[in-house]
Amino acid sequence: MYGVRLQDPLDLAGWRRAARALRLGGVAPEQVAWRVGDASGGLFDGPPPPEPPSGAGFSAPRELLDLAADLVCHRSDDRFDLLYRLLWRLKDEPALLRITTDADVAEAHLRRKAVQQATHKMHAFVRFRLVNPAFEAAGERETYVAWFEPPHRVLTRGIDYFVKRMGRLAFSILTPDACAHWDGAGGLSFTPGLERREAPGEDELETYWRTYFASVFNPARVNPRLMTQHMPRRYWGNLPEAAVIPELAAAARGRTDAMVEAAPTPPSPRTGRVQVKRAPAPPPPDAAPADLPEVAAAIQACRRCDLWRHATQGVPGEGPPQAPLMLVGEQPGDMEDLAGHPFVGPAGEVLNRALAEAGVNREEAYVTNAVKHFKHELRGKRRLHSRPNGTEIEACRWWLQTERRLVRPKVIVALGATAATAVFGRALSVLKNRGVVGEVEGGGLGFLTVHPSYLLRIPEPGEKARAYDAFVADLAAAHALLKAA
Ligand code: URA
């Protein structure tokens, strides 16, 4: 039995080194015990793996390495065993990772999904507190701190998102595993994890969050099951607004009744409530935003059309500021509207899977929407997607043009008809014009394909699978254009 001791729970480089030596040395997975850190493994600590024969080599497929990057963040103790088992089996089963019914592959995908979800939840539920309110007088940089307890070790995986958003503001995110510190000037560092009592306490930001949450809380939509699904109880300890949930939920019945009695005619209770609570609309920005964080902030104040009135928030695009590939969807859906991020709901899952199968890393693409607010109709407690009209697409096109001007992508993929209108400036039939459409005004090569929601709506399994494969092929073709562009 061989023993491998990795330096820390996220030691992917250490796993790769050892896995390579073991695989080249012909050591089967059941002959290896993987351990992390200094703690003694007692009887299980065996000799280190044999040195690989000189000159011998093989390369692990990119797909496995991508999977490994996610899987190391999972809290399961046997994640390194699972990864090595997959690597070992790939020797005789090169298509293994595509066999989703295989128990190891299915388990790996399940864990990857849990890690991806934990990352999304971290993006949605981290709440910063200002720790130096007198920063101006003190000549300091505005500095925020957040305490967070993720179910998996996703701090390093998800930190870029905060760095991009906070820009020149300094922040620390403290977790029991590790702490990340951004100095607001390009320096990102990590220190060991902390205990909760070491994180800062109440302040004005907390009060701000509670007020904001109370103002967007819709008593007619109180559904505890759904609410805990979007905002699982595990995270409530980190969320200032969670303190007001029980109170608001208890009052919901009475508030709903009062709304119905007090509103004999339209507008709907939700519209009335939001109109009263929101600040007066600022004028549209006369100067174009200078960078993407400015775009993200300015979208929250957008009044170019009326969609902001019924949405929780505007959802800006996300991705590297100079991404060579831009993906444009239609508009945020219900989950995107709540989370504030594009493509995090069911359509996002299809998109993520298809991108991975097409060999495209979503993190390298700038993902945005033609329309930045969620347009919907209330049907009982449900918010049903409603397609944006030409006026709304045109009004929001200004934001897409601004994002394009700043990111300057080489290839722009329009997902579906609404995105086609926004990207190409004219209505196009998706199925007739699918593929490369040509140079887009303002720069970049335009590519048109279907929207992932279209795939979700196809009922017949065979047709669905063919349409999905064609979508993956389109994404791969658009990606290949990057080399030519
Ligand atoms: N559909 C879209 O077009 N965009 C999203 O962000 C989510 C669903």
Side-chain angles (χ1 to χ4, degrees), residues 354 357-358 434 447 449 467-480:
E357 285 185 34
R434 188 171 191 158
F447 191 100
T449 184
Y468 176 77
D469 289 347
F471 181 53
V472 172
D474 277 355
L475 293 175
H479 189 235

Side-chain angles (χ1 to χ4, degrees), residues 176-296:
D177 306 309
C179 302
H181 311 277
W182 169 248
D183 65 8
L188 178 65
S189 56
F190 292 88
T191 54
L194 289 178
E195 287 182 34
R196 184 182 186 122
R197 60 185 163 75
E198 292 166 283
E202 295 258 319
D203 78 349
E204 303 119 37
L205 261 205
E206 209 143 300
T207 315
Y208 164 79
W209 267 107
R210 284 187 192 149
T211 314
Y212 169 78
F213 186 77
S215 80
V216 296
F217 183 87
N218 182 351
R221 289 183 63 215
V222 175
N223 174 342
R225 195 183 55 79
L226 209 64
M227 207 152 92
T228 45
Q229 201 175 313
H230 287 308
M231 192 191 277
R233 276 179 198 279
R234 169 190 312 126
Y235 298 103
W236 286 24
N238 307 316
L239 299 172
E241 67 265 37
V244 293
I245 293 176
E247 192 190 316
L248 290 170
R253 192 58 201 268
R255 279 180 67 194
T256 315
D257 293 347
M259 279 174 172
V260 171
E261 270 167 36
T265 53
S268 75
R270 183 174 166 78
T271 313
R273 182 177 57 76
V274 171
Q275 279 169 344
V276 172
K277 300 270 181 181
R278 296 227 187 184
D286 41 16
D291 56 24
L292 292 171
E294 268 188 34
V295 173

Side-chain angles (χ1 to χ4, degrees), residues 187-432:
L188 178 65
S189 56
F190 292 88
T191 54
L194 289 178
E195 287 182 34
R196 184 182 186 122
R197 60 185 163 75
E198 292 166 283
E202 295 258 319
D203 78 349
E204 303 119 37
L205 261 205
E206 209 143 300
T207 315
Y208 164 79
W209 267 107
R210 284 187 192 149
T211 314
Y212 169 78
F213 186 77
S215 80
V216 296
F217 183 87
N218 182 351
R221 289 183 63 215
V222 175
N223 174 342
R225 195 183 55 79
L226 209 64
M227 207 152 92
T228 45
Q229 201 175 313
H230 287 308
M231 192 191 277
R233 276 179 198 279
R234 169 190 312 126
Y235 298 103
W236 286 24
N238 307 316
L239 299 172
E241 67 265 37
V244 293
I245 293 176
E247 192 190 316
L248 290 170
R253 192 58 201 268
R255 279 180 67 194
T256 315
D257 293 347
M259 279 174 172
V260 171
E261 270 167 36
T265 53
S268 75
R270 183 174 166 78
T271 313
R273 182 177 57 76
V274 171
Q275 279 169 344
V276 172
K277 300 270 181 181
R278 296 227 187 184
D286 41 16
D291 56 24
L292 292 171
E294 268 188 34
V295 173
I299 282 174
Q300 304 311 331
C302 179
R303 304 294 185 262
R304 288 175 179 267
C305 75
D306 266 356
L307 293 184
W308 66 273
R309 289 185 187 281
H310 308 286
T312 307
Q313 58 194 311
V315 179
E318 280 179 3
Q322 247 76 69
L325 180 67
M326 179 179 274
L327 303 176
V328 184
E330 183 194 71
Q331 61 164 355
D334 187 67
M335 288 181 74
E336 288 79 11
D337 167 82
L338 293 169
H341 307 293
F343 282 106
V344 292
E349 276 180 29
V350 177
L351 179 65
N352 289 347
R353 192 152 48 88
L355 284 171
E357 285 185 34
V360 185
N361 180 358
R362 173 167 168 168
E363 304 286 316
E364 286 167 20
Y366 186 84
V367 180
T368 190
N369 281 300
V371 170
K372 310 296 191 226
H373 284 101
F374 177 35
K375 181 176 179 184
H376 58 275
E377 284 166 25
L378 278 181
R379 194 75 57 78
K381 289 180 188 167
R382 296 177 60 208
R383 301 192 300 170
L384 298 186
H385 163 273
S386 162
R387 213 169 181 186
N389 61 33
T391 314
E392 289 150 352
I393 298 171
E394 187 50 38
C396 219
R397 202 157 170 248
W398 189 86
W399 292 111
L400 183 63
Q401 307 278 47
T402 304
E403 288 173 302
R404 283 183 45 207
R405 176 175 56 75
L406 294 168
V407 179
R408 304 172 66 83
K410 288 185 184 165
V411 174
I412 306 162
V413 179
L415 303 165
T418 300
T421 308
V423 170
F424 302 109
R426 64 198 153 105
L428 285 176
S429 148
V430 177
L431 296 179
K432 282 195 199 136

Side-chain angles (χ1 to χ4, degrees), residues 110-174:
L110 217 62
R111 293 186 196 185
R112 164 180 251 184
K113 194 164 173 204
V115 167
Q116 288 173 341
Q117 274 172 348
T119 312
H120 287 315
K121 299 285 183 208
M122 176 167 88
H123 292 165
F125 297 143
V126 159
R127 298 287 183 265
F128 288 104
R129 294 163 170 138
L130 183 65
V131 287
N132 58 345
F135 62 92
E136 255 167 342
E140 291 169 355
R141 197 177 282 270
E142 200 172 339
T143 302
Y144 292 83
V145 174
W147 168 255
F148 196 64
E149 291 169 77
H152 298 290
R153 297 180 184 93
V154 293
L155 180 68
T156 43
R157 189 183 184 283
I159 197 68
D160 279 359
Y161 171 90
F162 294 102
V163 167
K164 275 183 222 145
R165 260 169 190 64
M166 301 291 275
R168 287 189 289 271
L169 308 178
F171 72 83
S172 293
I173 299 180
L174 318 177

